[in-house]
Amino acid sequence: MTVPQANGGVVVNGSAQVVKGPAPLDASKTVVTLAENLKAVPPAEELIFGQTMTDHMVSVTYHPVTGWSNPEIKPYANISLDPACSIFQYSTSVFEGMKAYVGPDGKPRLFRPEMNMQRMKRSVARIALPAFDVDELLKLIKKLVAVESRWIPNVKGHSLYVRPTIIGTRPSFGVRASDHAILYVICSPTGPYFRTGPKPVSLYAVGEQVRSWPGGTGEFKLSLNYAPTFWPQQLAAEKGYDQCLWLLGEDQHITEAGAMNFFVVVKRDDGDLDVFTPPLDGTILPGLTRASVLRLTVAHGETTTLPNLAHSLKLHTSERRITMVDLFSWNDAGKLAEIFLVGTAAVVAGVGRVGFEGRELDAGAMGPVAKALYERLTDIQEGKVEFEGWCVHVDDA
Amino acid sequence: MTVPQANGGVVVNGSAQVVKGPAPLDASKTVVTLAENLKAVPPAEELIFGQTMTDHMVSVTYHPVTGWSNPEIKPYANISLDPACSIFQYSTSVFEGMKAYVGPDGKPRLFRPEMNMQRMKRSVARIALPAFDVDELLKLIKKLVAVESRWIPNVKGHSLYVRPTIIGTRPSFGVRASDHAILYVICSPTGPYFRTGPKPVSLYAVGEQVRSWPGGTGEFKLSLNYAPTFWPQQLAAEKGYDQCLWLLGEDQHITEAGAMNFFVVVKRDDGDLDVFTPPLDGTILPGLTRASVLRLTVAHGETTTLPNLAHSLKLHTSERRITMVDLFSWNDAGKLAEIFLVGTAAVVAGVGRVGFEGRELDAGAMGPVAKALYERLTDIQEGKVEFEGWCVHVDDA
């Protein structure tokens, strides 16, 4: 138990230790309460993304005087909040998307989790939520994944999706930062994004509504980046497309597609391939899968060979602005080899049709570069291939 | 009780009436449950904006099959939600800010509430939350204000702040519109924004972070417009300023200040005054107070005379782009008469210092135009002056 003291310090766990200021997040103080009745784990082939939740969750609260409470791992439960809370009124919320896998050794592991933690730290600062030691959060996540390991589907392309979330809970209408918060982590077992094999995604290019802007929040993983995309997404669906391709500026350059990072593969005159993705200019989410794809395309032909690609095929990787004029010019010139999207949920998804101002191009199905990246990434994530220490075991918490 | 039927219709209130599709919002079905123990109403002079909540709230839920539940007026209570809900993960939330007053007739009234309802309708559509008949919501608000009428402070400059809110409650990580929702209304008695008289607000001009942009959501009353302002607001406070003055674009034009609309009064060579505010170009919240100020400045010298202003003084009102260069040029030329901000919370607030790129101007204290507008608006709101039917009695629900 943590008791606020008149001097602003706290007495932790009833001991005589007096700490000055709010208590930091401390995973070593975790209290685990297991559910009395565990849910039945559905068959892997029936899992739909984000709909089935596991038995337990991590929960920690922040109070401006006492600081972070002792973390709990407890049965999955509703959150009860005052209707005036900051999260309801001012959208103070940050989340991360991570995946846990079972390796051939039977042990659970996470994919580059320290990148999620660093991004979460930046996102939390951007909307002035209470800061915390992200290394301690990672320890909590590892503890939770260890508790929930029976939920990780041991099937190719399946994983346990892990969603750390922090919400502001200051119960007042005053328009200012939330000095109260709840940090929680919930998990959902999930199958591959496309159950029927890699069906190409169709995109509708949207410039009238804009996902992000210089000086905005597009480079942070804030919940508030998502709600504004739902209505344009419905308009795209009415036109027969799966997702929005987000444009920005008078030059109509591409930022993202749906909730994923965008890549295009262009044939070069020398027989090699260019692999382009928009640069991290403040309007683009710095995706883990994006960073991993960039590293793998650079490593191909050097320290590794991607599946079913010639070792001698050079992938010239570049972060550069890509406009709709570029895309249609490459297509008209017969140089457009592949378009694909990357993100934690789908890993890599091939793009087919792209609609824009009454025109349409068709980039075909999932191409050899996208397929190679999907295969190699999932092999790394599932512990079948080791690459630069990207997989982290959860039993070192 | 509302029971879902296999045919997609619903049986409402146990009657045999079968309605096709989800039930609409219907204020006539409201069930009122009064609190057993009422709170003590604090003295008016102790009220702080948004911290004291009244005894009751309106609550209605939306389910995609059954539609809107029968509305409840019930004791103020926490909301219990699945941690995977859309509001926590994707910031699906819309609110409105309104005020109720007691007139000299002792009757409670609302200020131009139909404008809040129309704006809420547009905001809800922008993030694809379930639609509802806003006339029915207004009836619910009137019912609630009537129940809570003892909470309305009958003191000059005081009011009951009313906050209708709708949040998306779809309990899944799928990145799409929320087809579940809770619509609720809570109330907080409030005093004048500035307890010590009209202290001028200081502003720090911010271009590095932007509040809104073309194709974004700045013209809608979405919760998600607020969280990104908290960190810049803290930076402004560290520099000794009260609020951010939000700039946009290479010409550094002004959009809003803090969470209020921006006005500037400029002396003309003919002895009249120009009153400028940025136009509703998609990046500006269409404030009720903004619209009311524009109407009053046009009406001055025509159908009315504002307090302590000469009837013959013409206020040349114009919605036009205002850049930082404009502001400093007017100041340097001795033409800058007043800067003021308008919004529901403060009504009208005078601006003093404005800091920008190492320079500073001082527009003085609250000027005669701002004072006249504050006096006239509060007199209209408090039922002391009738103007164009802006006040609506709540007993016609």
Side-chain angles (χ1 to χ4, degrees):
Chain A
M1 210 176 81
T2 307
V3 184
Q5 300 292 296
N7 64 0
V10 291
V11 177
V12 178
N13 280 336
S15 78
Q17 178 202 5
V18 174
V19 184
K20 275 287 173 196
L25 183 64
D26 185 349
S28 74
K29 296 199 158 60
T30 304
V31 177
V32 179
T33 309
L34 296 180
E36 290 189 12
N37 298 300
L38 298 181
K39 301 173 193 171
V41 177
E45 63 274 16
E46 290 177 11
L47 295 170
I48 296 171
F49 176 74
Q51 292 202 355
T52 304
M53 300 296 157
T54 65
D55 296 297
H56 302 92
M57 66 192 291
V58 166
S59 180
V60 204
T61 62
Y62 183 85
H63 182 281
V65 175
T66 52
W68 290 100
S69 68
N70 289 346
E72 287 183 277
I73 290 178
K74 64 177 192 181
Y76 189 94
N78 271 17
I79 296 173
S80 174
L81 294 174
D82 190 300
C85 269
S86 179
I87 174 64
F88 296 140
Q89 302 297 330
Y90 304 124
S91 292
T92 40
S93 174
V94 167
F95 72 90
E96 277 295 330
M98 312 166 70
K99 280 183 174 172
Y101 306 82
V102 178
D105 55 5
K107 290 182 181 171
R109 62 201 64 214
L110 289 160
F111 180 68
R112 310 187 78 178
E114 71 289 345
M115 289 188 73
N116 292 100
M117 295 300 100
Q118 288 306 317
R119 187 170 65 183
M120 192 164 196
K121 185 176 180 175
R122 292 192 301 272
S123 303
V124 162
R126 180 61 184 84
I127 58 171
L129 278 169
F132 54 87
D133 182 341
V134 292
D135 294 336
E136 295 300 306
L137 174 58
L138 182 51
K139 288 178 192 168
L140 288 170
I141 290 168
K142 288 177 177 175
K143 283 177 193 283
L144 180 64
V145 170
V147 167
E148 300 296 58
S149 58
R150 75 184 185 103
W151 283 93
I152 311 177
N154 196 354
V155 180
K156 172 78 178 168
H158 290 61
S159 60
L160 183 66
Y161 185 84
V162 179
R163 170 107 11 147
T165 308
I166 177 171
I167 58 174
T169 54
R170 182 171 184 269
S172 163
F173 295 147
V175 180
R176 65 181 66 102
S178 181
D179 54 359
H180 291 67
I182 298 177
L183 173 64
Y184 62 91
V185 187
I186 51 181
C187 305
S188 173
T190 184
Y193 200 76
F194 302 108
R195 284 245 166 248
T196 55
K199 172 181 155 294
V201 177
S202 58
L203 300 177
Y204 184 72
V206 175
E208 201 172 341
Q209 295 87 37
V210 179
R211 194 198 84 90
S212 64
W213 189 270
T217 57
E219 67 180 311
F220 302 97
K221 193 86 177 164
L222 305 181
S223 302
L224 61 88
N225 289 329
Y226 294 83
T229 69
F230 294 158
W231 174 61
Q233 157 65 24
Q234 288 181 343
L235 297 181
E238 285 169 13
K239 290 185 168 70
Y241 295 89
D242 296 320
Q243 296 286 345
C244 293
L245 179 62
W246 300 108
L247 307 182
L248 176 63
E250 292 190 4
D251 66 350
Q252 298 176 309
H253 66 272
I254 292 164
T255 57
E256 298 188 19
M260 302 175 79
N261 289 123
F262 180 91
F263 280 81
V264 58
V265 182
V266 180
K267 294 173 197 163
R268 293 163 57 103
D269 294 337
D270 61 9
D272 288 347
L273 295 173
D274 280 320
V275 180
F276 297 138
T277 194
L280 299 181
D281 62 0
T283 67
I284 310 280
L285 188 79
L288 268 76
T289 315
R290 177 187 180 280
S292 304
V293 161
L294 285 175
R295 176 71 198 113
L296 284 174
T297 50
V298 168
H300 173 74
E302 304 282 343
T303 59
T304 192
T305 307
L306 294 178
N308 300 313
L309 291 187
H311 183 78
S312 60
L313 174 72
K314 178 97 178 138
L315 302 174
H316 298 265
T317 304
S318 175
E319 298 174 68
R320 56 155 274 186
R321 185 166 283 204
I322 303 160
T323 67
M324 290 310 291
V325 167
D326 291 334
L327 217 55
F328 276 85
S329 298
W330 291 325
N331 185 62
D332 294 346
K335 291 182 172 179
L336 183 64
E338 300 180 33
I339 300 174
F340 60 89
L341 311 179
V342 310
T344 295
V347 189
V348 179
V351 171
R353 296 181 301 126
V354 179
F356 173 61
E357 293 184 349
R359 299 177 65 190
E360 188 173 274
L361 64 79
D362 196 332
M366 194 160 171
V369 175
K371 278 183 186 164
L373 289 163
Y374 177 83
E375 286 303 318
R376 177 56 54 86
L377 275 169
T378 50
D379 278 350
I380 295 169
Q381 290 166 335
E382 294 167 11
K384 292 164 191 159
V385 173
E386 155 59 29
F387 188 81
E388 298 186 358
W390 284 359
C391 266
V392 176
H393 286 276
V394 307
D395 52 10
D396 61 350
Chain B
M1 207 178 83
T2 307
V3 184
Q5 300 292 295
N7 65 358
V10 291
V11 176
V12 179
N13 280 336
S15 77
Q17 177 203 7
V18 174
V19 183
K20 275 288 174 197
L25 183 63
D26 184 349
S28 74
K29 296 199 159 62
T30 304
V31 177
V32 179
T33 308
L34 295 181
E36 290 189 11
N37 298 300
L38 298 181
K39 302 174 193 171
V41 178
E45 62 274 16
E46 289 177 12
L47 295 170
I48 296 171
F49 177 73
Q51 291 201 356
T52 305
M53 301 296 157
T54 65
D55 296 297
H56 303 93
M57 65 191 291
V58 166
S59 180
V60 204
T61 62
Y62 183 84
H63 182 282
V65 174
T66 52
W68 290 101
S69 68
N70 289 346
E72 287 182 276
I73 290 178
K74 64 176 193 182
Y76 189 93
N78 271 16
I79 296 173
S80 173
L81 294 174
D82 190 301
C85 269
S86 179
I87 175 63
F88 296 140
Q89 301 297 329
Y90 304 125
S91 292
T92 41
S93 174
V94 167
F95 72 90
E96 277 295 330
M98 311 166 69
K99 279 183 175 173
Y101 305 83
V102 178
D105 55 4
K107 291 182 181 171
R109 62 202 63 214
L110 290 161
F111 180 68
R112 308 187 80 178
E114 70 290 345
M115 288 188 74
N116 292 100
M117 294 300 100
Q118 289 305 318
R119 187 171 65 183
M120 192 164 195
K121 185 176 179 174
R122 292 193 300 274
S123 302
V124 162
R126 179 61 183 85
I127 57 170
L129 277 168
F132 54 88
D133 182 341
V134 292
D135 293 337
E136 295 299 308
L137 174 59
L138 182 51
K139 289 179 192 168
L140 289 170
I141 290 168
K142 288 177 176 175
K143 283 176 193 282
L144 180 64
V145 170
V147 167
E148 300 297 57
S149 58
R150 76 185 185 101
W151 284 93
I152 311 177
N154 196 354
V155 182
K156 171 78 178 169
H158 290 61
S159 60
L160 183 68
Y161 185 84
V162 179
R163 173 116 354 157
T165 307
I166 176 171
I167 57 175
T169 54
R170 182 171 186 269
S172 164
F173 295 146
V175 180
R176 66 181 66 100
S178 181
D179 54 0
H180 292 66
I182 297 177
L183 173 63
Y184 62 92
V185 187
I186 52 181
C187 304
S188 173
T190 183
Y193 200 76
F194 302 108
R195 284 242 166 248
T196 56
K199 174 181 156 292
V201 177
S202 59
L203 299 178
Y204 184 72
V206 175
E208 201 172 341
Q209 295 88 36
V210 297
R211 195 199 83 92
S212 62
W213 54 85
T217 58
E219 67 179 310
F220 302 96
K221 193 85 178 163
L222 305 181
S223 303
L224 61 88
N225 289 329
Y226 294 84
T229 70
F230 294 158
W231 174 62
Q233 157 66 25
Q234 289 181 341
L235 297 180
E238 285 169 13
K239 291 186 167 72
Y241 295 89
D242 296 320
Q243 296 287 344
C244 293
L245 179 62
W246 299 107
L247 308 182
L248 178 63
E250 292 190 6
D251 66 351
Q252 298 175 309
H253 66 274
I254 292 163
T255 56
E256 298 186 19
M260 302 176 80
N261 288 123
F262 180 92
F263 281 80
V264 59
V265 182
V266 181
K267 295 173 196 163
R268 293 161 58 103
D269 294 337
D270 61 9
D272 288 347
L273 295 173
D274 279 320
V275 180
F276 297 139
T277 193
L280 299 181
D281 63 0
T283 68
I284 311 281
L285 188 78
L288 267 76
T289 316
R290 177 186 180 281
S292 303
V293 161
L294 286 174
R295 177 71 197 111
L296 284 174
T297 50
V298 168
H300 174 75
E302 304 280 342
T303 59
T304 192
T305 307
L306 294 178
N308 301 313
L309 291 187
H311 183 77
S312 60
L313 174 71
K314 177 98 179 138
L315 302 175
H316 298 265
T317 305
S318 174
E319 299 174 68
R320 55 155 275 184
R321 185 167 283 204
I322 304 160
T323 68
M324 290 310 291
V325 168
D326 291 335
L327 217 54
F328 276 85
S329 299
W330 291 323
N331 185 63
D332 295 346
K335 293 182 172 179
L336 183 64
E338 301 180 33
I339 300 174
F340 61 88
L341 312 179
V342 310
T344 294
V347 189
V348 179
V351 170
R353 296 182 299 126
V354 179
F356 172 61
E357 293 184 349
R359 299 178 64 191
E360 188 174 272
L361 63 80
D362 196 332
M366 194 161 171
V369 174
K371 278 183 185 162
L373 289 163
Y374 176 81
E375 286 304 316
R376 178 55 54 87
L377 275 169
T378 50
D379 277 351
I380 296 169
Q381 289 166 336
E382 294 169 9
K384 293 164 191 159
V385 174
E386 155 59 29
F387 188 81
E388 299 186 356
W390 284 358
C391 265
V392 176
H393 286 276
V394 308
D395 52 9
D396 61 348

